[in-house]
Amino acid sequence: MFTRNIARSATRAFSTTPVARKTMTDSVKETADAVNKKVGKGLADAIETTEKGAQAAKESLGVGAKESKHKIDQAAETTKAKANVTAAKTSEKTTQAKHKAEDMGKKY
C-alpha cells in the first residue's frame, strides 16, 4: 500500500503557466507602468479640456476684452503647470516603485 502511493505521485505531470513565471519585479513594473499611463491620459484630457474652454471663452468675449483673455490664458497656463508637476511626481513615484521591485527581485 505504501509503495503504490509513491508510484502514483511520481507519475504526476508537472506543468507551469505563463502567469506563474512572472516575477514580483515584473508584476510591480507592469502595475506601475499602467498607473503611469492612466495618470498621463487623465492629465492630457484635463489640459485639452482647459485649452478648449479657454479658446471658447476667448471667442465669445470678442476683441475688446483683452484683460479677460489674459486672465483665461493665465488660468490655462496654471492648469498646465499643475498637470506637469503632477505628471512629474507620478513618473518619479513610478520609477521609485520599479527600482524597489528590482531590488526586491535581486534579494530573492
Side-chain angles (χ1 to χ4, degrees), residues 38-75:
K38 285 182 182 180
V39 170
K41 287 179 183 178
L43 292 173
D45 289 342
I47 290 171
E48 187 176 326
T49 301
T50 302
E51 288 175 345
K52 286 180 181 178
Q55 186 61 34
K58 285 179 190 177
E59 291 172 0
S60 68
L61 291 175
V63 180
K66 289 184 179 181
E67 184 178 325
S68 295
K69 287 182 184 182
H70 180 68
K71 288 181 181 181
I72 290 170
D73 287 339
Q74 284 179 332

Side-chain angles (χ1 to χ4, degrees), residues 75-89:
E77 289 301 317
T78 302
T79 302
K80 285 181 187 179
K82 287 180 182 180
N84 288 336
V85 168
T86 303
K89 286 180 181 178

Side-chain angles (χ1 to χ4, degrees), residues 4-13:
R4 287 183 188 170
N5 288 340
I6 294 174
R8 286 184 192 154
S9 64
T11 59
R12 284 181 69 175

